[in-house]
Amino acid sequence: MAVTTHILGFPRIGEKRELKFALEKYWRGEVTQSQLEETGAAIRHENWELQADNHLSYVTAGDFAWYDHVLTTSLLLGHIPARHRQGSPTLDTLFQVARGQSQHTCDCHGVAASDMTKWFNTNYHYIVPEFSADDTFDVTWQQLFDEIGEAQQRGHSVKPVLLGPLSYLYLGKSVDDGFDRLTLLPRLIRAYQKILAQLSQQGVTWLQIDEPILALELDADWLGSFKLAYEMLAGDVKLLLTTYFDGISGVIDDIVALPVNGLHIDVVSAADQLSPVLAKLPADWVLSLGVINGRNVWRADLAALLKQLEPVHEQLGDRLWVASSCSLLHSPVDLAPETQMNADVKSWFAFARQKVKETGLLGAALNGNPEAIEFCHQYSQPIEARKASQQVHKPQVQARLKTITDALATRTLPYEARAKAQKSALGLPFLPTTTIGSFPQTNDIRQQRSAFKQGKITESEYEESLKAHIRDAVERQEALGLDVLVHGEAERNDMVEYFAGHLTGFQTTQFGWVQSYGSRCVKPAIVVTDIERDKPITVSWSQYAQSLTSKQMKGMLTGPVTILCWTFPREDISRKEIAQQLALALRDEVDDLQEAGINIIQIDEPAIREGLPLKKRDHQAYLDWAVQAFRISASGAKPETQIHTHMCYSEFNEIIESVAALDADVITIETSRSNMALLDAFEKFNYPNEIGPGVYDIHSPNIPTEAWIVDLLKKAAEAIPAERLWVNPDCGLKTREWAETEASLKNMVSAAKTLRQELAG
């Protein structure tokens, strides 16, 4: 009757972001590959020891990735874009696919990175596999097998994790016109058969095979392909078919027909699926229940979970597995170092290390351990105490929410009338040039911020240093000839964390880092109480920057939906209500910016697409309140105040009507990696407002040539009338160096001038 315990994956960045720093040193040539590999091994070993120390039945191997687990799968399968193939794949091959290859590091004109997009509705990014009709697959990368061997040698019982073949195909893109990538499935399955054979030789008993696309609404061809694929994969290694992020009860009949040995479901995101899945579960299958939330930081109510799972344990006996809902990749690593957090508030949370402990304790309690049972009840006490806290619900915020009407979310004039007013007020040229907002966060900026936090410099000294960086950014932009300037955001550690730190209702962390992609980490804040703004946040910085130039200075805000999506939300109120609270706070900031003389205000919403529920039937309800939240934040703007928004790495086809409904005067989007393909949705829809398609990829060290940018702009002009086009990079420049930033922007401005002359002639 013993319950099996495991997690679906653990963060690979290290408790102190050791992997991030090692990667960046390796890319700069400061450490060797062997030194980088030593860092990775140390992180893996620590992760496995943590799982073993908390008495999990299995440690999870295969969840470590040097950049991204989907890209690791591509190398495992020998599936590398032709432009990056140079003999047998190496670690440098992996990084070239992810980051591109600069013309300065190869005897070539530069090699483009593969596309990158969001992992379902999370803020994690993955490298998109590219599929062609002549693709072949073979096992050419030994990382998975080497890491299993490492764990076994250290005495661990190992359960590897592998992205399943259907999800791998589905999450990629076809690069041949009219090509159905499902036709590659038989070839792909043969490679998976080789993987399973090698796992069997290593003595692997169970494989966690992730098929998260089963939580989507798949068409018949994709859903029907599962049976063929898994009939070919059935063998010595037992398969735990793993789903997460939403429920699968609608396809349970298809799933139980598969020749696998168990099923994992996420009962955090879809608790209502448990009963229908239990009713259909084959008698010889295990059922892994994802009850520890891998996507949020709230302490699990172990007492309630124990009560919920006891009858399931009675029914299933030792066929019950207890697990995290998804990989803990989406959680910060460890709560313990958060020494500046109020003790009561800290008691509400659990990060990845604590979630491993929760999983082990819950399993022990279900297995009848009296100490674990008692601990589960004690562990839930802070959750119960919070429900009665008078600090959480604020009457003044609740009263303001009741004032929301359709009129509050509507600009005073339609776009056509606003455009005329803005053209007169702003005096911008044809094809105006700008950037998305941030400029390089240099070591000097970071050191000054750290010194201020540690009390080594005063607040006035810190502010003067920031003003110096703003002056420098303005001078560089004027020298480059940009038309609309930004202050560069030197004062901001992160586009969301900065606002969370200046709004009441959030808890920020010291070390709560979460991987976004590669070496890029973010530190999400936590929504703990009702949200409001008690004083202006950005006004003084934008006003100072505007005083330095006669050109238009763009105010920079992060939108309500993005702040919501990129923080850890409360679980006691709806996401809609949190977004509305944020929108009202940002509306006040917009009012103050325009009163301070800032005539262009950008309200970034890069996360609006990722916030979509996985089920299409739930899309419209989400989009309705997401659009409303943006419009509440923006609709206090005067007609002559130009509202911009920015979105990156989004598939716009399914949300284009809602994007238009935002009614932003200008939208800037990522299009460079897709070679302007993302503009198709805007062309077909006949998008009415102005648009800035990103003309170069800021995530790659490649410096775009003027000719390259001119070519992209010409493609953009085929989809959007040139008089409504803006010229800009595809995202903020925070992570770049100044030398490459200035070189790229110089070519961008030159390209805009060239095209102005050409189109004028």
Side-chain angles (χ1 to χ4, degrees):
M1 294 286 288
V3 170
T4 295
T5 51
H6 69 122
I7 57 170
L8 270 56
F10 197 83
R12 55 247 188 171
I13 58 172
E15 183 178 323
K16 299 179 180 178
R17 294 181 291 161
E18 294 90 341
L19 183 61
K20 167 191 171 63
F21 299 121
L23 284 169
E24 291 171 355
K25 287 180 180 178
Y26 179 72
W27 294 335
R28 293 192 299 262
E30 297 172 5
V31 299
T32 65
Q33 181 172 324
S34 294
Q35 290 171 310
L36 173 63
E37 289 173 343
E38 287 174 5
T39 299
I43 292 169
R44 291 193 299 273
H45 298 166
E46 183 176 348
N47 293 351
W48 293 332
E49 291 298 331
L50 171 69
Q51 294 167 60
D53 289 347
N54 283 281
H55 308 292
L56 298 194
S57 307
Y58 293 103
V59 304
T60 301
D63 54 343
F64 180 84
W66 295 108
Y67 200 94
D68 158 55
H69 60 274
V70 181
L71 177 56
T72 302
T73 307
S74 291
L75 263 72
L76 171 65
L77 296 166
H79 183 229
I80 300 166
R83 63 188 179 278
H84 292 289
R85 293 177 199 155
Q86 298 175 355
S88 299
T90 66
L91 194 57
D92 288 334
T93 307
L94 184 150
F95 294 139
Q96 287 164 14
V97 175
R99 305 174 72 236
Q101 192 172 11
S102 168
Q103 60 266 44
H104 301 300
T105 59
C106 66
D107 186 18
C108 59
H109 296 293
V111 183
S114 287
D115 201 359
M116 182 166 62
T117 195
K118 296 292 177 71
W119 176 249
F120 295 87
N121 55 355
T122 75
N123 188 35
Y124 177 78
H125 301 66
Y126 72 93
I127 301 298
V128 180
E130 301 173 17
F131 295 108
S132 302
D134 59 354
D135 279 350
T136 58
F137 306 92
D138 199 4
V139 180
T140 60
W141 184 250
Q142 294 296 306
Q143 179 181 338
L144 173 65
F145 311 110
D146 291 344
E147 291 173 6
I148 292 169
E150 277 181 39
Q152 290 173 331
Q153 288 174 8
R154 299 179 75 84
H156 298 305
S157 298
V158 182
K159 177 216 62 183
V161 54
L162 176 64
L163 183 61
L166 271 302
S167 291
Y168 178 72
L169 267 181
Y170 189 92
L171 295 169
K173 68 176 184 179
S174 301
V175 294
D176 292 346
D177 291 339
F179 164 63
D180 180 4
R181 57 191 183 275
L182 260 179
T183 59
L184 296 174
L185 185 59
R187 280 179 247 171
L188 180 61
I189 290 298
R190 284 193 285 274
Y192 270 81
Q193 287 173 325
K194 291 182 180 181
I195 294 169
L196 289 174
Q198 193 161 339
L199 293 178
S200 178
Q201 291 174 4
Q202 288 187 280
V204 169
T205 305
W206 279 97
L207 172 65
Q208 173 190 319
I209 191 157
D210 286 7
E211 291 286 9
I213 66 168
L214 283 167
L216 305 176
E217 292 169 333
L218 299 173
D219 63 33
D221 287 344
W222 283 94
L223 189 57
S225 296
F226 273 87
K227 190 167 185 181
L228 168 66
Y230 280 85
E231 283 175 349
M232 296 175 68
L233 293 180
D236 295 335
V237 178
K238 294 179 180 179
L239 301 180
L240 180 70
L241 187 70
T242 303
T243 66
Y244 36 80
F245 299 152
D246 209 328
I248 48 86
S249 55
V251 292
I252 188 62
D253 288 335
D254 299 275
I255 290 174
V256 297
L258 302 178
V260 297
N261 308 94
L263 174 66
H264 172 88
I265 60 173
D266 178 350
V267 292
V268 172
S269 66
D272 59 352
Q273 67 178 319
L274 178 55
S275 293
V277 168
L278 275 172
K280 297 289 183 70
L281 190 74
D284 57 344
W285 281 22
V286 303
L287 179 62
S288 171
L289 296 183
V291 294
I292 303 299
N293 194 344
R295 288 186 61 174
N296 212 331
V297 295
W298 295 95
R299 175 182 287 219
D301 188 345
L302 293 184
L305 286 173
L306 182 59
K307 184 177 180 180
Q308 177 190 3
L309 293 181
E310 281 173 339
V312 181
H313 186 209
E314 265 187 50
Q315 179 180 342
L316 296 181
D318 59 9
R319 293 193 294 132
L320 174 62
W321 290 25
V322 171
S324 57
S325 61
C326 59
S327 173
L328 300 180
L329 165 72
H330 309 287
S331 295
V333 178
D334 190 11
L335 181 64
E338 299 296 330
T339 56
Q340 296 178 11
M341 197 178 290
N342 174 277
D344 287 340
V345 173
K346 187 175 180 178
S347 72
W348 298 341
F349 306 137
F351 292 178
R353 288 182 67 91
Q354 289 71 44
K355 290 175 185 295
V356 171
K357 181 177 181 179
E358 289 176 343
T359 306
L361 281 168
L362 185 57
L366 285 166
N367 286 330
N369 183 308
E371 292 181 0
I373 293 170
E374 176 61 24
F375 190 91
C376 283
H377 287 284
Q378 293 176 0
Y379 192 80
S380 293
Q381 288 176 2
I383 302 298
E384 290 299 317
R386 182 179 181 274
K387 293 176 182 178
S389 171
Q390 299 298 310
Q391 306 293 321
V392 174
H393 299 282
K394 301 175 183 177
Q396 67 273 22
V397 176
Q398 296 300 313
R400 196 174 179 193
L401 287 174
K402 294 176 181 177
T403 70
I404 292 176
T405 62
D406 289 343
L408 195 71
T410 305
R411 297 284 292 271
T412 56
L413 291 178
Y415 166 73
E416 293 79 4
R418 300 197 309 267
K420 291 177 182 178
Q422 291 160 17
K423 184 175 182 180
S424 174
L426 301 177
L428 298 175
F430 175 59
L431 294 175
T433 57
T434 190
T435 63
I436 302 306
S438 61
F439 275 124
Q441 288 265 320
T442 62
N443 284 333
D444 188 36
I445 292 174
R446 288 192 289 266
Q447 288 168 3
Q448 288 163 346
R449 182 181 298 129
S450 177
F452 173 59
K453 287 182 177 179
Q454 294 174 32
K456 296 179 180 178
I457 60 175
T458 65
E459 184 173 2
S460 61
E461 288 173 328
Y462 180 52
E463 288 184 359
E464 285 305 311
S465 72
L466 291 176
K467 286 182 177 180
H469 289 294
I470 291 172
R471 285 196 302 272
D472 178 60
V474 171
E475 289 169 2
R476 290 178 191 258
Q477 292 172 85
E478 288 201 314
L480 287 164
L482 286 159
D483 300 308
V484 175
L485 312 189
V486 297
H487 76 287
E489 303 179 14
E491 80 283 7
R492 304 184 192 184
N493 46 3
D494 174 82
M495 66 180 291
V496 171
E497 185 183 6
Y498 178 76
F499 285 90
H502 287 79
L503 292 166
T504 65
F506 287 91
Q507 174 66 56
T508 56
T509 67
Q510 297 166 265
F511 309 107
W513 296 101
V514 179
Q515 185 184 29
S516 180
Y517 62 86
S519 68
R520 174 82 166 117
C521 300
V522 295
K523 190 149 58 72
I526 309 163
V527 184
V528 290
T529 69
D530 285 346
I531 298 163
E532 57 187 338
R533 189 197 77 145
D534 54 12
K535 61 183 178 180
I537 301 170
T538 68
V539 176
S540 62
W541 300 116
S542 293
Q543 197 170 26
Y544 173 71
Q546 184 66 82
S547 74
L548 302 173
T549 180
S550 60
K551 292 190 172 184
Q552 295 292 338
M553 181 61 58
K554 186 165 55 171
M556 300 299 305
L557 305 178
T558 303
V561 178
T562 296
I563 294 177
L564 168 63
C565 287
W566 292 358
T567 54
F568 293 112
R570 288 166 62 179
E571 296 180 339
D572 59 331
I573 62 173
S574 70
R575 294 169 70 231
K576 175 182 177 180
E577 183 175 336
I578 298 172
Q580 289 175 331
Q581 293 179 13
L582 286 163
L584 291 168
L586 292 167
R587 183 185 181 92
D588 296 340
E589 190 75 9
V590 169
D591 287 346
D592 286 343
L593 279 169
Q594 62 182 351
E595 290 304 319
I598 304 301
N599 300 316
I600 301 177
I601 302 172
Q602 183 169 309
I603 307 172
D604 286 339
E605 284 292 22
I608 199 165
R609 167 61 181 81
E610 83 181 43
L612 274 176
L614 297 191
K615 299 287 195 296
K616 290 181 180 179
R617 63 174 179 258
D618 301 325
H619 284 189
Q620 198 56 54
Y622 159 76
L623 290 168
D624 286 347
W625 63 253
V627 168
Q628 182 205 46
F630 178 88
R631 291 177 65 129
I632 290 170
S633 68
S635 292
K638 302 170 185 176
E640 60 270 25
T641 299
Q642 191 175 70
I643 296 293
H644 290 222
T645 192
H646 173 68
M647 299 179 184
C648 56
Y649 300 106
S650 291
E651 295 293 340
F652 290 105
N653 290 309
E654 58 190 335
I655 65 166
I656 187 63
E657 292 184 12
S658 297
V659 171
L662 295 174
D663 198 28
D665 299 302
V666 181
I667 179 174
T668 54
I669 61 172
E670 180 281 322
T671 52
S672 60
R673 281 199 178 195
S674 66
N675 203 29
M676 294 291 166
L678 286 178
L679 280 181
D680 290 348
F682 292 85
E683 180 183 18
K684 292 174 184 175
F685 179 76
N686 193 22
Y687 184 74
N689 301 11
E690 297 173 48
I691 188 166
V695 294
Y696 76 90
D697 175 20
I698 67 91
H699 298 92
S700 170
N702 287 350
I703 295 172
T705 64
E706 178 183 334
W708 167 267
I709 295 173
V710 167
D711 182 59
L712 284 180
L713 285 170
K714 286 180 177 179
K715 288 182 180 179
E718 294 173 2
I720 304 292
E723 61 270 17
R724 289 198 278 113
L725 283 176
W726 283 62
V727 181
N728 47 261
D730 67 1
C731 206
L733 297 161
K734 175 182 176 180
T735 61
R736 308 319 311 172
E737 302 292 337
W738 266 116
E740 65 190 59
T741 293
E742 289 185 295
S744 298
L745 290 178
K746 179 181 178 182
N747 290 345
M748 187 188 83
V749 171
S750 295
K753 291 178 178 178
T754 297
L755 203 54
R756 283 173 195 162
Q757 293 177 346
E758 184 176 327
L759 292 178

PDB file of all heavy atoms in Angstrom, residues 664-682:
ATOM      1  N   ALA A 664      -4.585  50.323 -28.610  1.00  0.00           N
ATOM      2  CA  ALA A 664      -3.346  51.084 -28.474  1.00  0.00           C
ATOM      3  C   ALA A 664      -3.098  51.833 -29.776  1.00  0.00           C
ATOM      4  O   ALA A 664      -3.378  51.324 -30.861  1.00  0.00           O
ATOM      5  CB  ALA A 664      -2.182  50.142 -28.172  1.00  0.00           C
ATOM      6  N   ASP A 665      -2.543  53.020 -29.676  1.00  0.00           N
ATOM      7  CA  ASP A 665      -2.254  53.784 -30.886  1.00  0.00           C
ATOM      8  C   ASP A 665      -1.136  53.131 -31.694  1.00  0.00           C
ATOM      9  O   ASP A 665      -1.155  53.150 -32.928  1.00  0.00           O
ATOM     10  CB  ASP A 665      -1.865  55.212 -30.511  1.00  0.00           C
ATOM     11  CG  ASP A 665      -2.989  55.925 -29.781  1.00  0.00           C
ATOM     12  OD1 ASP A 665      -4.086  56.030 -30.347  1.00  0.00           O
ATOM     13  OD2 ASP A 665      -2.773  56.356 -28.628  1.00  0.00           O
ATOM     14  N   VAL A 666      -0.154  52.549 -30.998  1.00  0.00           N
ATOM     15  CA  VAL A 666       0.976  51.885 -31.658  1.00  0.00           C
ATOM     16  C   VAL A 666       1.255  50.586 -30.915  1.00  0.00           C
ATOM     17  O   VAL A 666       1.318  50.576 -29.676  1.00  0.00           O
ATOM     18  CB  VAL A 666       2.248  52.755 -31.639  1.00  0.00           C
ATOM     19  CG1 VAL A 666       3.397  52.042 -32.360  1.00  0.00           C
ATOM     20  CG2 VAL A 666       1.985  54.117 -32.270  1.00  0.00           C
ATOM     21  N   ILE A 667       1.441  49.502 -31.658  1.00  0.00           N
ATOM     22  CA  ILE A 667       1.857  48.241 -31.061  1.00  0.00           C
ATOM     23  C   ILE A 667       3.192  47.838 -31.668  1.00  0.00           C
ATOM     24  O   ILE A 667       3.385  47.923 -32.879  1.00  0.00           O
ATOM     25  CB  ILE A 667       0.807  47.123 -31.262  1.00  0.00           C
ATOM     26  CG1 ILE A 667       1.297  45.817 -30.642  1.00  0.00           C
ATOM     27  CG2 ILE A 667       0.450  46.937 -32.719  1.00  0.00           C
ATOM     28  CD1 ILE A 667       0.277  44.703 -30.667  1.00  0.00           C
ATOM     29  N   THR A 668       4.141  47.450 -30.829  1.00  0.00           N
ATOM     30  CA  THR A 668       5.416  46.927 -31.313  1.00  0.00           C
ATOM     31  C   THR A 668       5.483  45.448 -30.971  1.00  0.00           C
ATOM     32  O   THR A 668       5.092  45.033 -29.877  1.00  0.00           O
ATOM     33  CB  THR A 668       6.610  47.670 -30.681  1.00  0.00           C
ATOM     34  OG1 THR A 668       6.490  47.634 -29.251  1.00  0.00           O
ATOM     35  CG2 THR A 668       6.642  49.109 -31.141  1.00  0.00           C
ATOM     36  N   ILE A 669       5.981  44.665 -31.922  1.00  0.00           N
ATOM     37  CA  ILE A 669       5.971  43.210 -31.753  1.00  0.00           C
ATOM     38  C   ILE A 669       7.279  42.597 -32.227  1.00  0.00           C
ATOM     39  O   ILE A 669       8.016  43.184 -33.016  1.00  0.00           O
ATOM     40  CB  ILE A 669       4.793  42.548 -32.511  1.00  0.00           C
ATOM     41  CG1 ILE A 669       4.904  42.823 -34.017  1.00  0.00           C
ATOM     42  CG2 ILE A 669       3.463  43.012 -31.972  1.00  0.00           C
ATOM     43  CD1 ILE A 669       3.908  42.048 -34.853  1.00  0.00           C
ATOM     44  N   GLU A 670       7.551  41.385 -31.771  1.00  0.00           N
ATOM     45  CA  GLU A 670       8.692  40.602 -32.230  1.00  0.00           C
ATOM     46  C   GLU A 670       8.357  39.983 -33.584  1.00  0.00           C
ATOM     47  O   GLU A 670       7.364  39.267 -33.690  1.00  0.00           O
ATOM     48  CB  GLU A 670       9.017  39.506 -31.210  1.00  0.00           C
ATOM     49  CG  GLU A 670      10.190  38.624 -31.592  1.00  0.00           C
ATOM     50  CD  GLU A 670       9.850  37.556 -32.614  1.00  0.00           C
ATOM     51  OE1 GLU A 670       8.748  36.994 -32.549  1.00  0.00           O
ATOM     52  OE2 GLU A 670      10.697  37.297 -33.481  1.00  0.00           O
ATOM     53  N   THR A 671       9.173  40.261 -34.583  1.00  0.00           N
ATOM     54  CA  THR A 671       8.943  39.635 -35.902  1.00  0.00           C
ATOM     55  C   THR A 671      10.235  39.231 -36.593  1.00  0.00           C
ATOM     56  O   THR A 671      10.190  38.570 -37.620  1.00  0.00           O
ATOM     57  CB  THR A 671       8.192  40.595 -36.845  1.00  0.00           C
ATOM     58  OG1 THR A 671       8.880  41.851 -36.871  1.00  0.00           O
ATOM     59  CG2 THR A 671       6.763  40.823 -36.409  1.00  0.00           C
ATOM     60  N   SER A 672      11.391  39.615 -36.054  1.00  0.00           N
ATOM     61  CA  SER A 672      12.631  39.411 -36.800  1.00  0.00           C
ATOM     62  C   SER A 672      12.998  37.939 -36.942  1.00  0.00           C
ATOM     63  O   SER A 672      13.414  37.490 -38.012  1.00  0.00           O
ATOM     64  CB  SER A 672      13.777  40.170 -36.134  1.00  0.00           C
ATOM     65  OG  SER A 672      13.975  39.721 -34.812  1.00  0.00           O
ATOM     66  N   ARG A 673      12.841  37.159 -35.862  1.00  0.00           N
ATOM     67  CA  ARG A 673      13.203  35.740 -35.956  1.00  0.00           C
ATOM     68  C   ARG A 673      12.293  35.001 -36.917  1.00  0.00           C
ATOM     69  O   ARG A 673      12.687  34.025 -37.539  1.00  0.00           O
ATOM     70  CB  ARG A 673      13.136  35.080 -34.567  1.00  0.00           C
ATOM     71  CG  ARG A 673      14.340  35.367 -33.692  1.00  0.00           C
ATOM     72  CD  ARG A 673      14.440  34.355 -32.559  1.00  0.00           C
ATOM     73  NE  ARG A 673      15.614  34.613 -31.748  1.00  0.00           N
ATOM     74  CZ  ARG A 673      16.130  33.745 -30.873  1.00  0.00           C
ATOM     75  NH1 ARG A 673      15.583  32.564 -30.710  1.00  0.00           N
ATOM     76  NH2 ARG A 673      17.195  34.048 -30.171  1.00  0.00           N
ATOM     77  N   SER A 674      11.052  35.457 -37.030  1.00  0.00           N
ATOM     78  CA  SER A 674      10.108  34.792 -37.937  1.00  0.00           C
ATOM     79  C   SER A 674      10.158  35.395 -39.336  1.00  0.00           C
ATOM     80  O   SER A 674       9.337  35.048 -40.172  1.00  0.00           O
ATOM     81  CB  SER A 674       8.689  34.915 -37.379  1.00  0.00           C
ATOM     82  OG  SER A 674       8.271  36.274 -37.375  1.00  0.00           O
ATOM     83  N   ASN A 675      11.141  36.311 -39.582  1.00  0.00           N
ATOM     84  CA  ASN A 675      11.280  36.929 -40.895  1.00  0.00           C
ATOM     85  C   ASN A 675       9.991  37.618 -41.327  1.00  0.00           C
ATOM     86  O   ASN A 675       9.570  37.526 -42.468  1.00  0.00           O
ATOM     87  CB  ASN A 675      11.712  35.886 -41.936  1.00  0.00           C
ATOM     88  CG  ASN A 675      12.403  36.520 -43.133  1.00  0.00           C
ATOM     89  OD1 ASN A 675      13.025  37.575 -43.001  1.00  0.00           O
ATOM     90  ND2 ASN A 675      12.291  35.885 -44.280  1.00  0.00           N
ATOM     91  N   MET A 676       9.357  38.295 -40.378  1.00  0.00           N
ATOM     92  CA  MET A 676       8.129  39.058 -40.583  1.00  0.00           C
ATOM     93  C   MET A 676       6.883  38.177 -40.774  1.00  0.00           C
ATOM     94  O   MET A 676       5.811  38.686 -41.071  1.00  0.00           O
ATOM     95  CB  MET A 676       8.245  40.042 -41.757  1.00  0.00           C
ATOM     96  CG  MET A 676       9.243  41.160 -41.518  1.00  0.00           C
ATOM     97  SD  MET A 676       8.693  42.311 -40.236  1.00  0.00           S
ATOM     98  CE  MET A 676      10.205  43.215 -39.902  1.00  0.00           C
ATOM     99  N   ALA A 677       7.018  36.875 -40.572  1.00  0.00           N
ATOM    100  CA  ALA A 677       5.860  35.992 -40.774  1.00  0.00           C
ATOM    101  C   ALA A 677       4.734  36.315 -39.804  1.00  0.00           C
ATOM    102  O   ALA A 677       3.553  36.123 -40.125  1.00  0.00           O
ATOM    103  CB  ALA A 677       6.284  34.528 -40.624  1.00  0.00           C
ATOM    104  N   LEU A 678       5.079  36.818 -38.611  1.00  0.00           N
ATOM    105  CA  LEU A 678       4.043  37.115 -37.621  1.00  0.00           C
ATOM    106  C   LEU A 678       3.135  38.270 -38.043  1.00  0.00           C
ATOM    107  O   LEU A 678       2.073  38.470 -37.468  1.00  0.00           O
ATOM    108  CB  LEU A 678       4.670  37.438 -36.267  1.00  0.00           C
ATOM    109  CG  LEU A 678       5.236  36.247 -35.477  1.00  0.00           C
ATOM    110  CD1 LEU A 678       5.856  36.720 -34.177  1.00  0.00           C
ATOM    111  CD2 LEU A 678       4.167  35.210 -35.194  1.00  0.00           C
ATOM    112  N   LEU A 679       3.554  39.002 -39.074  1.00  0.00           N
ATOM    113  CA  LEU A 679       2.705  40.092 -39.556  1.00  0.00           C
ATOM    114  C   LEU A 679       1.514  39.585 -40.371  1.00  0.00           C
ATOM    115  O   LEU A 679       0.591  40.347 -40.649  1.00  0.00           O
ATOM    116  CB  LEU A 679       3.515  41.070 -40.417  1.00  0.00           C
ATOM    117  CG  LEU A 679       4.370  42.081 -39.660  1.00  0.00           C
ATOM    118  CD1 LEU A 679       5.087  42.998 -40.642  1.00  0.00           C
ATOM    119  CD2 LEU A 679       3.534  42.915 -38.706  1.00  0.00           C
ATOM    120  N   ASP A 680       1.553  38.319 -40.760  1.00  0.00           N
ATOM    121  CA  ASP A 680       0.449  37.772 -41.569  1.00  0.00           C
ATOM    122  C   ASP A 680      -0.890  37.981 -40.877  1.00  0.00           C
ATOM    123  O   ASP A 680      -1.884  38.326 -41.519  1.00  0.00           O
ATOM    124  CB  ASP A 680       0.673  36.278 -41.834  1.00  0.00           C
ATOM    125  CG  ASP A 680       1.835  36.031 -42.786  1.00  0.00           C
ATOM    126  OD1 ASP A 680       2.295  37.011 -43.396  1.00  0.00           O
ATOM    127  OD2 ASP A 680       2.277  34.874 -42.888  1.00  0.00           O
ATOM    128  N   ALA A 681      -0.917  37.749 -39.563  1.00  0.00           N
ATOM    129  CA  ALA A 681      -2.177  37.897 -38.831  1.00  0.00           C
ATOM    130  C   ALA A 681      -2.682  39.327 -38.901  1.00  0.00           C
ATOM    131  O   ALA A 681      -3.887  39.567 -39.059  1.00  0.00           O
ATOM    132  CB  ALA A 681      -1.990  37.478 -37.372  1.00  0.00           C
ATOM    133  N   PHE A 682      -1.775  40.286 -38.815  1.00  0.00           N
ATOM    134  CA  PHE A 682      -2.177  41.688 -38.852  1.00  0.00           C
ATOM    135  C   PHE A 682      -2.651  42.096 -40.246  1.00  0.00           C
ATOM    136  O   PHE A 682      -3.557  42.911 -40.385  1.00  0.00           O
ATOM    137  CB  PHE A 682      -1.014  42.572 -38.397  1.00  0.00           C
ATOM    138  CG  PHE A 682      -0.682  42.414 -36.948  1.00  0.00           C
ATOM    139  CD1 PHE A 682       0.156  41.409 -36.502  1.00  0.00           C
ATOM    140  CD2 PHE A 682      -1.226  43.273 -35.999  1.00  0.00           C
ATOM    141  CE1 PHE A 682       0.452  41.256 -35.167  1.00  0.00           C
ATOM    142  CE2 PHE A 682      -0.940  43.130 -34.653  1.00  0.00           C
ATOM    143  CZ  PHE A 682      -0.102  42.118 -34.233  1.00  0.00           C
TER     144      PHE A 682
END
